[in-house]
Amino acid sequence: MERKEYKKIIGLDPYFQKYFVFDRNKNEIRLYNEARTTKTDIHTSYFLTKETVISNIKISRNIPEEDLEDILSTKAYEELELDTTAEYKISYLELPIDLHSKEREFQLFITEFATLHDTYDVYIDKLGFFDFIFPVPFLLRTLYTKEILVDYETHLFIYFQNSDAFLAIYQNGHFVYTKSLKFSFEFMAERITELKGSEVTIEELITNLSTYGLRLPNYEELQYYMQIFSELFMHINDILIYAKKSFDIENIDKIFISSDIGLIQGIEEYAQTYLGQKAYDFDFDYGIHVADPSVTHIHLLTILTTQDCLEEEEECVNFTIFERPPALWKRPSGKLIMAIAASLVLGFSYPLYNYSMAYKYQIEKLLLQKKYTKIHAKRVSLESQINHIKNEIKKVDQQIQAVTRHLHEKEQSLKRIFDKKVHYTMKAVTIADFAQNIKKHKLHLLELNNTNKEFNLLVTANDDKRITEFIKDVTENASSKFDITTKDINKTKGLYISSLKVKSR
């Protein structure tokens, strides 16, 4: 059976002998004295904190997965000093830790098999099995998985039940610490009886707390309640001091307090006085319609936690030792029945199988022959088309090559024209520039020759300095255009003469 296909979740409260049933179609929860179940229903329950041992254990990261449970069990017996003569149910969660750490850390939830049997054996005849049994502190995790509470704060939960009370600390959506408190309603009734000197039943206590809270009209009786709750919150304060130091908790962001009878009026004043913080009720929007006022927060949290484990496939802490029976085909008897049936079917069907397969192959052969004729004709046609396309591609490639060569020639011609347009210095401009400089320096031009970008000038002057100044002037002011050089300056018949070579850049 696929567990997600359930219609109802049948929850057992073994401490009140009641069934809290969640109808998935109606999204509704109500209480029953008896419960009718079907094979598709999910069976779930919760287990008191005082019957649970919770501790963290570290092991080497090198331990293979197949040995994990045995190693954790062995270390639990050794480190927690468990009774070696008793058998324990151990469930665990792996805690997030630095991936580079050489160790892995696990949170172990432990209880005795004998306690589970004592609590649930009487209901097994009616229900047959339990898919889930959750320790109560683990139930609070659903407040974060369902996004009812934010997962970036540290929260303290305090809850009172008839036969148990507990506090639990969650940090950033993860369970950190829990402690069972002795101040259950049963203990409170006994303590008031002791203080008052006359018997006070648990029913009377619950009536007073649910009606008046901690604001009883009888002042004398109120003193007993005040004393008990003062002792309770001093005890809680001591536990918080220890927990903060042990788990590096800087501060508690919010405190939530409630009980199986709802909020106890006036208890928030004790939280403010002894813990120095405002306390809030379990006023959570569970998203479930509550059709019975006797449904407790624990019942609702158990349903939501069961949904998490079924629908969200969350890693769960599960104390059940009363497993759902496997499907018939998974049981030894079922496997034997299936084997016998399969043998009979094979024995009778073998001759028929041979005949039917021979006929089947003949039909398949005829169909394949027809299909081959069609496919072969199509193949020949496609090959012809492919060859034609290849020839066309070849022609196009040749045309592309011819056009490419033509474009390359055009490109080179354009480059030459561009070079002439941009970089070629007109001869007339060059000669005009030289004429101005020659006149400026009072030189006489005897001869001018030009080859490509080179000019040969033969000049004379009355003073050799005029020739050198002319060369210097061109060098300093027109070096970007011209490169001017001379081999020597000679004196002939009273005149200085020099052959200048000028190159255009």
Side-chain angles (χ1 to χ4, degrees):
M1 181 197 71
E2 287 289 334
R3 284 186 167 182
K4 294 183 182 181
E5 296 177 357
Y6 70 93
K7 291 182 179 179
K8 291 183 179 180
I9 297 178
I10 309 298
L12 169 68
D13 189 328
Y15 310 102
F16 284 98
Q17 294 83 47
K18 297 280 187 180
Y19 295 91
F20 51 99
V21 179
F22 171 72
D23 188 315
R24 189 180 190 183
N25 294 328
K26 297 179 180 179
N27 191 38
E28 178 183 270
I29 184 172
R30 64 171 65 239
L31 289 183
Y32 293 93
N33 291 324
E34 297 292 337
R36 296 179 180 178
T37 68
T38 65
K39 292 181 179 180
T40 59
D41 291 340
I42 301 299
H43 297 176
T44 190
S45 186
Y46 69 90
F47 197 65
L48 293 180
T49 307
K50 68 179 182 180
E51 305 292 355
T52 307
V53 176
I54 303 175
S55 182
N56 293 358
I57 285 182
K58 292 182 179 181
I59 63 171
S60 170
R61 195 174 285 279
N62 297 325
I63 293 175
E65 287 297 319
E66 58 269 22
D67 297 334
L68 185 60
E69 286 193 20
D70 290 339
I71 295 297
L72 289 175
S73 177
T74 301
K75 289 183 73 69
Y77 273 93
E78 293 173 353
E79 296 184 14
L80 305 179
E81 299 181 354
L82 301 180
D83 183 358
T84 55
T85 63
E87 187 177 6
Y88 293 89
K89 173 65 178 180
I90 301 177
S91 188
Y92 58 85
L93 297 173
E94 184 168 7
L95 298 176
I97 197 170
D98 185 0
L99 293 176
H100 300 292
S101 173
K102 294 181 180 180
E103 293 183 312
R104 298 166 69 185
E105 187 171 5
F106 293 85
Q107 207 164 53
L108 271 59
F109 296 76
I110 306 169
T111 193
E112 290 191 41
F113 268 68
T115 307
L116 289 169
H117 283 295
D118 291 343
T119 306
Y120 293 101
D121 277 356
V122 68
Y123 300 100
I124 291 301
D125 290 340
K126 299 177 182 179
L127 295 177
F129 58 88
F130 284 95
D131 295 292
F132 302 104
I133 298 175
F134 302 115
V136 169
F138 176 72
L139 298 177
L140 296 165
R141 189 183 74 165
T142 194
L143 296 173
Y144 303 97
T145 59
K146 297 290 188 186
E147 298 182 354
I148 297 171
L149 290 178
V150 297
D151 61 358
Y152 52 80
E153 293 181 340
T154 301
H155 297 149
L156 169 66
F157 300 91
I158 303 171
Y159 196 86
F160 302 96
Q161 299 169 274
N162 277 20
S163 55
D164 196 11
F166 71 94
L167 66 77
I169 299 174
Y170 273 72
Q171 188 172 49
N172 298 328
H174 296 287
F175 171 75
V176 174
Y177 176 75
T178 191
K179 176 71 174 177
S180 177
L181 307 172
K182 63 181 180 180
F183 291 86
S184 65
F185 291 146
E186 289 177 355
F187 173 83
M188 290 181 188
E190 293 172 1
R191 183 83 173 99
I192 292 176
T193 297
E194 178 185 330
L195 294 171
K196 189 176 181 180
S198 59
E199 184 179 3
V200 176
T201 65
I202 186 173
E203 289 78 13
E204 290 178 85
L205 174 90
I206 289 174
T207 299
N208 283 334
L209 290 177
S210 59
T211 304
Y212 305 108
L214 297 176
R215 300 189 177 101
L216 277 73
N218 185 326
Y219 180 76
E220 182 180 353
E221 192 164 2
L222 176 61
Q223 297 302 308
Y224 306 135
Y225 284 83
M226 291 174 64
Q227 181 174 341
I228 290 174
F229 277 87
S230 295
E231 293 173 1
L232 164 64
F233 276 91
M234 284 191 289
H235 180 52
I236 290 174
N237 189 56
D238 291 339
I239 294 172
L240 281 181
I241 292 172
Y242 161 78
K244 286 181 178 179
K245 184 177 180 180
S246 300
F247 298 97
D248 296 325
I249 299 171
E250 292 186 7
N251 62 286
I252 303 295
D253 293 299
K254 285 189 179 71
I255 299 175
F256 297 96
I257 304 178
S258 195
S259 71
D260 279 347
I261 60 173
L263 177 65
I264 300 172
Q265 296 297 325
I267 198 169
E268 66 277 4
E269 297 172 7
Y270 287 83
Q272 187 69 55
T273 300
Y274 291 94
L275 305 182
Q277 280 186 247
K278 180 181 178 180
Y280 299 87
D281 183 22
F282 276 42
D283 187 20
F284 304 129
D285 181 6
Y286 297 104
I288 296 174
H289 176 251
V290 179
D292 192 315
S294 298
V295 170
T296 70
H297 293 287
I298 298 299
H299 297 156
L300 288 160
L301 291 170
T302 302
I303 295 299
L304 292 183
T305 301
T306 303
Q307 289 177 339
D308 283 343
C309 296
L310 290 172
E311 298 165 11
E312 303 300 330
E313 299 182 354
E314 295 283 349
E315 188 179 14
C316 291
V317 174
N318 190 359
F319 273 167
T320 189
I321 56 175
F322 313 101
E323 301 286 348
R324 179 186 290 265
L328 178 62
W329 59 273
K330 290 185 177 180
R331 302 178 202 171
S333 58
K335 291 178 180 179
L336 177 61
I337 293 171
M338 291 176 65
I340 294 172
S343 299
L344 292 173
V345 170
L346 286 174
F348 284 111
S349 62
Y350 188 70
L352 180 62
Y353 170 79
N354 287 335
Y355 174 78
S356 61
M357 290 304 294
Y359 180 73
K360 174 177 175 289
Y361 291 144
Q362 288 294 329
I363 297 298
E364 287 181 350
K365 179 181 177 182
L366 292 174
L367 292 174
L368 289 173
Q369 285 176 342
K370 290 181 180 180
K371 188 181 290 186
Y372 172 77
T373 303
K374 293 180 181 179
I375 292 173
H376 181 69
K378 190 173 182 179
R379 175 193 169 190
V380 172
S381 174
L382 288 174
E383 286 179 346
S384 175
Q385 293 177 30
I386 290 170
N387 291 331
H388 176 70
I389 291 170
K390 285 181 177 179
N391 291 332
E392 291 296 320
I393 291 173
K394 186 175 181 182
K395 290 178 182 179
V396 171
D397 285 340
Q398 291 172 350
Q399 292 174 2
I400 290 172
Q401 290 175 6
V403 171
T404 302
R405 285 194 299 271
H406 179 69
L407 289 175
H408 181 69
E409 292 172 359
K410 291 290 185 182
E411 181 185 7
Q412 295 303 315
S413 297
L414 289 171
K415 284 182 178 179
R416 287 193 294 271
I417 293 169
F418 177 80
D419 186 59
K420 292 292 184 180
K421 289 283 187 180
V422 176
H423 302 292
Y424 182 73
T425 306
M426 293 181 64
K427 293 181 180 180
V429 174
T430 302
I431 293 169
D433 288 343
F434 281 129
Q436 291 293 328
N437 281 331
I438 288 170
K439 182 179 179 181
K440 175 182 175 183
H441 293 283
K442 296 180 181 180
L443 302 179
H444 297 283
L445 179 64
L446 299 180
E447 185 179 326
L448 174 63
N449 294 315
N450 170 248
T451 57
N452 199 4
K453 292 184 178 182
E454 186 175 298
F455 293 87
N456 293 307
L457 289 73
L458 185 63
V459 296
T460 64
N462 294 329
D463 190 345
D464 61 346
K465 290 182 178 180
R466 293 179 179 176
I467 297 175
T468 56
E469 287 175 358
F470 171 74
I471 294 171
K472 183 179 179 182
D473 188 9
V474 173
T475 302
E476 290 179 353
N477 300 316
S479 60
S480 62
K481 296 181 180 180
F482 309 109
D483 181 19
I484 185 168
T485 59
T486 182
K487 291 184 178 181
D488 53 26
I489 301 173
N490 299 315
K491 187 176 183 182
T492 306
K493 298 178 181 181
L495 295 174
Y496 291 91
I497 187 169
S498 179
S499 177
L500 304 177
K501 183 180 291 185
V502 181
K503 291 183 179 179
S504 296
R505 290 186 184 276

